[in-house]
Amino acid sequence: MIQKIRLIGDKVLRKKAEPISPDNPKTKQVVQDLLDTLAVNEEFALAAPQIGHSCRIFVINPIWIEDEDKRTPMVFINPELLEYEGEQFMLEGCLSIPEIYEKVKRAQIVKFRSQDLHGKWKNYTIRELFARAAQHENDHLDGILFVDRISPIRRKLLHGKLKKMASTTKDGVNVG
Ligand SMILES: [Zn+2]
């Protein structure tokens, strides 16, 4: 089912999410909700806390595959980022922080492992956009938002805007 996107100021976005067993019936439901919600939004990746579930799952639609018919959203359960290499510096946005785009430094190449819905662990070496998405989404599982990773000057400039955004969110709390 399509779920409401949680916005900055919502406490669930600041919690460290718990691992979840792929056998747990909740896992299937959260994955389906993530895929349904991703399909109607313009971003290409989504993490469970963004739809209100504090568990370690995210999904990524591989937009770097040119043929849209060949894109199947990928599901990552209990991902563990293991190694980082190089750097990339690009504009990022987030469905939970509407209309804000800022440059964020990320690793260029990431090695990580993750479980699928059958509980099988798989190893990945990913780069560029895929690596950036995995780092952004994995941050969501740790309660980190991309605005935490921008330069202190930019963060200071955005502070008032983010605070205002958070104060209009239901149970909005501090940002900054
Ligand atoms: Zn995000």
Side-chain angles (χ1 to χ4, degrees):
M1 248 166 53
I2 298 165
Q3 300 293 323
K4 205 180 94 197
I5 301 281
R6 302 303 179 100
L7 300 174
I8 188 167
D10 195 313
K11 285 180 193 140
V12 72
L13 293 175
R14 287 307 194 179
K15 259 175 84 174
K16 192 172 164 69
E18 295 291 328
I20 188 163
S21 166
D23 297 338
N24 186 331
K26 193 186 160 188
T27 303
K28 248 191 180 154
Q29 181 227 318
V30 173
V31 166
Q32 195 54 55
D33 286 353
L34 280 168
L35 294 174
D36 293 345
T37 309
L38 185 68
V40 295
N41 283 283
E42 278 176 17
E43 276 295 331
F44 66 93
L46 197 61
Q50 291 182 279
I51 56 166
H53 295 290
S54 197
C55 57
R56 303 190 77 82
I57 305 175
F58 61 72
V59 295
I60 295 178
N61 188 23
I63 54 167
W64 48 90
I65 296 174
E66 276 187 28
D67 185 348
E68 277 188 43
D69 299 335
K70 289 191 179 144
R71 287 181 199 158
T72 310
M74 303 165 87
V75 175
F76 303 99
I77 301 167
N78 302 318
E80 293 171 11
L81 273 55
L82 303 169
E83 282 177 47
Y84 302 89
E85 215 182 295
E87 56 183 50
Q88 52 174 319
F89 201 61
M90 285 182 79
L91 272 186
E92 277 186 30
C94 178
L95 283 171
S96 297
I97 314 175
E99 288 163 29
I100 302 242
Y101 296 90
E102 290 289 327
K103 277 193 170 177
V104 183
K105 189 167 91 177
R106 300 285 187 187
Q108 174 75 354
I109 301 170
V110 175
K111 286 188 181 168
F112 79 108
R113 64 175 208 143
S114 179
Q115 280 179 291
D116 65 16
L117 273 167
H118 308 290
K120 199 173 168 238
W121 285 95
K122 283 186 192 168
N123 289 299
Y124 300 84
T125 300
I126 57 173
R127 55 187 67 234
E128 293 163 14
L129 199 51
F130 193 175
R132 191 152 59 89
Q135 290 169 88
H136 179 117
E137 299 313 318
N138 196 67
D139 272 355
H140 275 302
L141 307 185
D142 290 331
I144 299 167
L145 299 172
F146 82 96
V147 288
D148 303 338
R149 295 200 181 276
I150 63 180
S151 74
I153 297 169
R154 290 299 305 161
R155 198 160 53 231
K156 216 171 165 184
L157 283 169
L158 278 176
H159 184 76
K161 211 170 176 180
L162 294 174
K163 213 173 156 182
K164 201 173 158 202
M165 225 184 251
S167 69
T168 54
T169 300
K170 195 175 149 276
D171 60 45
V173 279
N174 60 318
V175 193

